[in-house]
Amino acid sequence: MTTDGHAMPPWPAPVADVPDRVAAAGLDLGPMGTAEHYHPKLQIIIDGQQIQVPANIGVDPATGAMSAVHTHEKDGTIHIEADTVGETFTLGQLFTQWGVTLTPTQIGGVRTDNGGLQLTSNGTPVGVTLLTCAWNPSSASC
């Protein structure tokens, strides 16, 4: 199953064009970085319903190679494995690899007209845009 980025949830992890999606996110597939390794957690809640973040976003099923930003489990844990200390990775990179549209007023096929989507970190609203939310290794949050 694939998604066109504008479908309604659930959104499966892509399987056919992973290398292209990883490159579009400004990342590459290859050996995992060892300079920093941390695990932010992503929860998506739409109309009170939790949406599953699939396993294997950023993982090429043909080779097993992974990008620096990827998932293994279906619990929303994002694995970040950086080549260098202080590298910046964003929520937008994850969604680009996933193939799910993310804008201030849209996630996949879900749109809002009432002030946009809300981004929180550890339950607290954060004042950054969704696409540029950069994970912080010291707190594993934006």
Side-chain angles (χ1 to χ4, degrees):
M1 180 185 288
T2 60
T3 179
D4 68 359
H6 300 289
M8 298 301 283
W11 302 294
V15 294
D17 54 356
V18 172
D20 292 337
R21 290 171 186 263
V22 169
L27 302 168
D28 57 23
L29 292 167
M32 291 298 88
T34 58
E36 285 186 319
H37 187 173
Y38 53 101
H39 301 101
K41 187 99 169 191
L42 176 62
Q43 269 191 320
I44 300 171
I45 300 171
I46 298 174
D47 291 334
Q49 292 283 93
Q50 185 156 336
I51 306 302
Q52 187 177 72
V53 177
N56 298 321
I57 298 170
V59 178
D60 185 352
T63 65
M66 294 173 261
S67 78
V69 178
H70 60 274
T71 64
H72 293 294
E73 304 88 4
K74 297 177 182 179
D75 65 357
T77 299
I78 310 305
H79 294 257
I80 297 181
E81 299 173 30
D83 288 327
T84 58
V85 173
E87 246 181 297
T88 300
F89 300 99
T90 68
L91 189 60
Q93 288 175 305
L94 178 75
F95 275 80
T96 296
Q97 293 180 91
W98 193 1
V100 174
T101 299
L102 181 66
T103 72
T105 59
Q106 179 178 351
I107 182 169
V110 180
R111 299 175 191 268
T112 180
D113 296 326
N114 62 356
L117 302 175
Q118 182 182 35
L119 177 64
T120 63
S121 178
N122 298 322
T124 303
V126 290
V128 297
T129 66
L130 292 169
L131 291 175
T132 60
C133 169
W135 284 297
N136 177 340
S138 63
S139 64
S141 63
C142 292

